[in-house]
Amino acid sequence: MMANKALAAFYYPEGIAVIGASRNPGKAGYQVVKNLTQGSYNGPVYPVNPAVGDVLGHKCYPSLGSIEGRVSLIIITTPADQVVDIFREAARRGDVRAAIVVSAGFSETKDPAKIAMEKEFLALAGQAGIRILGPNCTGVINTANGLDTTIEPTVAQTRGGISIYSQSGAMGGSILLFMEDQPVPLGFNKWTHSGNTCDLDVIDVLEYYGADPGTETILLYTEAINKGRQFMELARQIAPRKTILVLKVGRTELGVKAAYSHTGALAGSNQVYEAAFRKCGVLRMLNLEEMVDTAKALAMQPLPRGNRICILTEAGGPGTIAMDELGTSPLVTLAEISPAGQQRLHGVVPPISIVCQPQGYIDITAAAMEEHHARALQCVLEEDGVDGVILLSVPPTYLKPESLAGAIIEAVRGYNKPVLTCLLAGQWVREARRMLEAAGLPTYATPDRAARAMINMVQRQEYLRGLEVK
Amino acid sequence: MATYHLLETEARSYLQNKGINVPPYRLARSPVEAVKYAGELDYPVVLKVVARALVHKSDVGGVQINLQTPDDVERAYREIMATVAARAPGSPIEGVLVTRHIADALEVIIGTKVDPQFGPVIMFGLGGIFVEVFKDVTFGIAPLSYREAEQMVRNIKGYPLIKGIRGQSRKNEPAIIDLLLQVANLMVQNRELREIDLNPILVTDQEALIADARILLEA
């Protein structure tokens, strides 16, 4: 639990000093002060730079030692060669508990002299009881108090239950931008980037997120997990309560080489990672889209109670694509619609519809209007043999997407089964997708992405069911 | 970290001492002994050279299979000695291992190693070209639960060969699963073990027999 207390000093600091604060918008020392003071965070921020009087109108201190108020977090944006001295000064203060070292030019260069410098300040910090994120790191975001220590492009701090850890700042930032770019921005709780991980790493952050009441789903981007057994043990404890999605690169020889040149990580055998993730209940994601798609489904919808999925489509092509994707999972089967249910369906869909050929697949065709979609959806949600529904539609000119969205929102009310939707496509359905998501119905850009998110929900459900059996 | 391979005879007795079933075998030091043991074990038999420097026995002509008669055994013994002496001169030879030849079996393999990140890991696959060409293998992290071991067996693409297709008999799948569980436990309980390579394991409808065992230990 040591790591948990240490990380709290990053997310909930009592006074932040930005060392290397700058008036030059091209410098990290400017952007960090800007992010900290111009957002919704209202704790004390102390820019430190002996050469200037103020940064963005905030009084600048000549040194870390000259700040009278309490400082629990320091953010270092100076050139690398000043970092060791800054840690000496931080140790003398006695109140500093956490340090984000933005400065780069340490172990990632693989230069022995620079590696030695990183070891030196790590030792100083260790003696002074200061924990480190970095170096070569942009730090943390906490939507609970508006804290943003980063130089990442600013995203809307929509609050939610998803917390993110990334070994790569660029990928971590991109996950947030992707989440913001959904029809309704997908909220998050905390965000952490660990850079060179000279001290705190994925295990510490996972432990914190595991115990953090604000975190429901955990997203990890990592190039290697060095303490594999420790990671598995921790994940095994957290996975029954919170879903852990991991984007672990190094699936191919080329990816392994790139990961090594990026962070020096030995990506390890892909099949061993697969086995390890499966064993501790972690869901592995193939790419950024799948990660955000799955997190969105989990954030908005209940888990399916079983693995029987119904595809309800207004067009054959998209339906087939979704079926193809479902077929990649050995876990998922198509829903069982009872004979009575099929009769009821025939009564509410256009006469040319194809009902349950094959079983669990319903094509209501382009003749379907709002009420056909809505009533067919209700029919399948009523069925005991249906655990989840993928609804696909390509609204033609005579079916207004917004009106369709309204009918779908009304239809699903009161059912506790996941419904994932895909309206194709583009500008034509943009407002309808926004309406659906505002009402808690996740939308997907393509049918296969909706199906993939559903597969992951089923996998999560099967994992939880397996725990009960044991 | 220094490591060394056990002789096949040592590897077999190591496994036996740990409670893993190994089919009967004898170490012959002359053609006469080989013929005697073959008679005791019952024909047909397999002869394999045992030498510390020769880990890849068949590469140096050190293995002869499906030997039906005493004459076959005597000739095979002399051939093995001659070929090994020619291809790997100077390798001290302990003798020749005699064991029963199993016909019409499916070859599977179990391998283990110690992963730098995840510790003892275990691999399962079908032998021969399936592993070499198609890389049709599954991995697990030791120790395994029964369900995990079962999934490792069922998730290989060649699983229908174990289930039995085209009139072939259904192979003894529970025997494979038991062996996977035993080997995974062995890796967890004996930290001196760096690698175990059981290749092949011969699986029939009755049993799963370890036909060759290589063990790498930490010195």
Side-chain angles (χ1 to χ4, degrees):
Chain A
M1 286 297 122
M2 287 297 287
N4 275 348
K5 216 174 144 220
L7 274 158
F10 287 88
Y11 304 114
Y12 298 95
E14 300 172 49
I16 305 171
V18 181
I19 302 140
S22 169
R23 297 167 72 105
N24 177 354
K27 298 262 188 186
Y30 172 90
Q31 293 299 336
V32 171
V33 175
K34 183 162 179 269
N35 265 352
L36 282 171
T37 57
Q38 296 192 350
S40 56
Y41 183 66
N42 44 34
V45 176
Y46 309 105
V48 177
N49 185 339
V52 297
D54 76 287
V55 173
L56 289 157
H58 300 274
K59 179 192 167 189
C60 219
Y61 290 78
S63 67
L64 183 53
S66 65
I67 301 167
E68 307 89 16
R70 187 176 146 75
V71 174
S72 71
L73 171 65
I74 59 173
I75 302 171
I76 304 173
T77 65
T78 63
D81 55 13
Q82 297 174 28
V83 175
V84 170
D85 283 340
I86 291 163
F87 272 96
R88 282 207 184 90
E89 206 177 348
R92 274 198 298 276
R93 279 191 65 97
D95 54 355
V96 178
R97 289 287 148 269
I100 293 166
V101 184
V102 181
S103 319
F106 295 100
S107 63
E108 82 278 8
T109 62
K110 302 174 182 84
D111 174 339
K114 291 173 176 166
I115 295 171
M117 242 173 7
E118 187 174 299
K119 286 203 174 124
E120 193 179 352
F121 71 69
L122 178 62
L124 283 168
Q127 286 158 15
I130 302 169
R131 301 303 298 266
I132 301 171
L133 277 173
N136 192 15
C137 149
T138 66
V140 302
I141 304 174
N142 182 3
T143 59
N145 56 8
L147 176 72
D148 180 353
T149 76
T150 75
I151 51 169
E152 305 291 340
T154 313
V155 294
Q157 288 202 4
T158 315
R159 282 188 72 174
I162 298 167
S163 288
I164 299 138
Y165 163 85
S166 181
Q167 194 177 353
S168 146
M171 283 304 296
S174 301
I175 291 171
L176 286 185
L177 291 166
F178 235 74
M179 286 169 63
E180 186 190 42
D181 200 32
Q182 302 301 311
V184 170
L186 184 55
F188 68 104
N189 200 281
K190 294 186 178 64
W191 183 96
T192 312
H193 171 221
S194 66
N196 290 11
T197 63
C198 79
D199 180 17
L200 295 164
D201 64 10
V202 59
I203 299 206
D204 301 304
V205 178
L206 180 59
E207 186 181 340
Y208 184 89
Y209 286 170
D212 178 31
T215 298
E216 290 158 13
T217 300
I218 300 168
L219 312 190
L220 308 174
Y221 170 86
T222 171
E223 293 176 1
I225 294 167
N226 293 323
K227 295 170 262 178
R229 285 277 167 166
Q230 210 183 326
F231 173 87
M232 283 177 69
E233 183 50 35
L234 187 57
R236 199 182 56 78
Q237 290 168 23
I238 296 169
R241 293 176 285 114
K242 305 184 181 193
T243 311
I244 305 170
L245 307 180
V246 63
L247 184 53
K248 157 72 180 73
V249 294
R251 284 185 296 122
T252 65
E253 287 297 317
L254 292 179
V256 167
K257 282 180 191 161
Y260 181 72
S261 84
H262 179 204
T263 55
L266 292 170
S269 157
N270 191 51
Q271 284 166 305
V272 171
Y273 272 102
E274 289 279 343
F277 291 145
R278 202 172 333 123
K279 194 177 179 80
C280 62
V282 168
L283 294 181
R284 183 167 189 185
M285 302 290 109
L286 210 57
N287 51 40
L288 195 54
E289 289 93 326
E290 185 183 4
M291 189 168 218
V292 174
D293 288 350
T294 305
K296 182 161 80 172
L298 292 166
M300 291 187 180
Q301 291 287 293
L303 282 177
R305 275 185 290 253
N307 63 347
R308 299 161 304 175
I309 303 306
C310 172
I311 293 181
L312 179 60
T313 185
E314 176 262 4
T320 306
I321 287 179
M323 289 278 274
D324 229 4
E325 185 67 24
L326 281 189
T328 63
S329 168
L331 284 178
V332 174
T333 64
L334 282 171
E336 295 149 28
I337 313 282
S338 64
Q342 295 189 28
Q343 283 263 265
R344 278 193 293 276
L345 272 166
H346 278 295
V348 301
V349 298
I352 54 167
S353 299
I354 301 160
V355 174
C356 293
Q357 294 171 35
Q359 173 65 293
Y361 178 82
I362 300 137
D363 182 351
I364 57 177
T365 77
M369 297 303 289
E370 295 91 334
E371 72 277 12
H372 299 118
H373 284 82
R375 294 179 69 188
L377 187 53
Q378 285 177 323
C379 269
V380 296
L381 285 168
E382 287 287 342
E383 287 290 304
D384 286 338
V386 173
D387 295 314
V389 180
I390 297 169
L391 175 70
L392 313 167
S393 192
V394 192
T397 45
Y398 48 82
L399 178 55
K400 271 205 73 174
E402 295 80 5
S403 157
L404 174 61
I408 294 167
I409 292 164
E410 278 304 311
V412 298
R413 213 158 264 168
Y415 295 100
N416 193 32
K417 293 178 182 179
V419 177
L420 307 188
T421 66
C422 168
L423 300 188
L424 290 162
Q427 186 62 39
W428 173 237
V429 299
R430 192 146 297 157
E431 174 56 18
R433 286 185 64 183
R434 197 203 55 75
M435 287 170 63
L436 288 168
E437 294 205 349
L441 283 163
T443 70
Y444 294 92
T446 58
D448 47 314
R449 283 173 60 178
R452 176 48 52 182
M454 187 63 91
I455 290 169
N456 290 331
M457 287 185 111
V458 169
Q459 207 177 330
R460 173 71 185 156
Q461 162 61 25
E462 293 283 310
Y463 163 76
L464 292 175
R465 210 168 53 93
L467 295 178
E468 285 167 25
V469 174
K470 278 178 198 165
Chain B
M1 180 179 54
T3 57
Y4 65 99
H5 275 107
L6 293 180
L7 288 170
E8 187 180 345
T9 45
E10 294 167 344
R12 284 174 177 249
S13 71
Y14 184 99
L15 293 173
Q16 260 173 338
N17 289 337
K18 302 290 183 186
I20 293 179
N21 186 35
V22 176
Y25 65 95
R26 303 299 295 269
L27 183 68
R29 292 196 162 82
S30 68
V32 177
E33 270 187 14
V35 169
K36 176 172 164 250
Y37 295 146
E40 288 170 14
L41 291 163
D42 202 3
Y43 288 92
V45 296
V46 175
L47 260 53
K48 288 194 275 189
V49 68
V50 178
R52 204 159 294 278
L54 302 179
V55 176
H56 298 283
K57 297 175 279 277
S58 46
D59 295 356
V60 291
V63 180
Q64 294 223 16
I65 63 166
N66 200 12
L67 306 168
Q68 303 280 351
T69 65
D71 283 351
D72 285 352
V73 170
E74 196 178 328
R75 176 191 45 75
Y77 189 99
R78 293 185 200 286
E79 277 179 17
I80 284 174
M81 288 300 178
T83 324
V84 170
R87 291 206 206 161
S91 302
I93 295 171
E94 308 288 329
V96 170
L97 187 144
V98 187
T99 185
R100 279 212 62 199
H101 174 86
I102 308 294
D104 299 326
L106 179 70
E107 290 190 6
V108 305
I109 61 167
I110 292 176
T112 69
K113 63 169 186 168
V114 180
D115 182 86
Q117 276 105 19
F118 291 100
V121 299
I122 182 162
M123 183 201 77
F124 172 76
L126 293 181
I129 60 162
F130 291 99
V131 58
E132 280 166 30
V133 180
F134 300 118
K135 314 271 185 255
D136 184 14
V137 293
T138 51
F139 278 82
I141 311 285
L144 298 175
S145 68
Y146 189 89
R147 197 180 139 67
E148 284 170 339
E150 186 180 67
Q151 287 305 312
M152 282 181 68
V153 173
R154 296 192 174 172
N155 285 343
I156 58 165
K157 294 187 188 73
Y159 177 63
L161 292 169
I162 293 172
K163 249 184 0 186
I165 48 161
R166 297 192 176 189
Q168 300 257 351
S169 68
R170 188 187 183 91
K171 303 296 184 274
N172 191 334
E173 185 181 333
I176 304 173
I177 293 169
D178 281 345
L179 194 51
L180 273 169
L181 290 169
Q182 283 183 309
V183 173
N185 278 337
L186 205 60
M187 287 301 289
V188 174
Q189 285 158 8
N190 300 277
R191 289 303 163 122
E192 77 273 16
L193 278 168
R194 305 314 294 176
E195 282 174 25
I196 299 176
D197 200 3
L198 307 180
N199 180 12
I201 298 159
L202 302 175
V203 190
T204 64
D205 51 350
Q206 300 294 322
E207 52 200 343
L209 296 168
I210 296 169
D212 195 79
R214 279 201 287 148
I215 290 180
L216 184 70
L217 289 181
E218 197 177 321

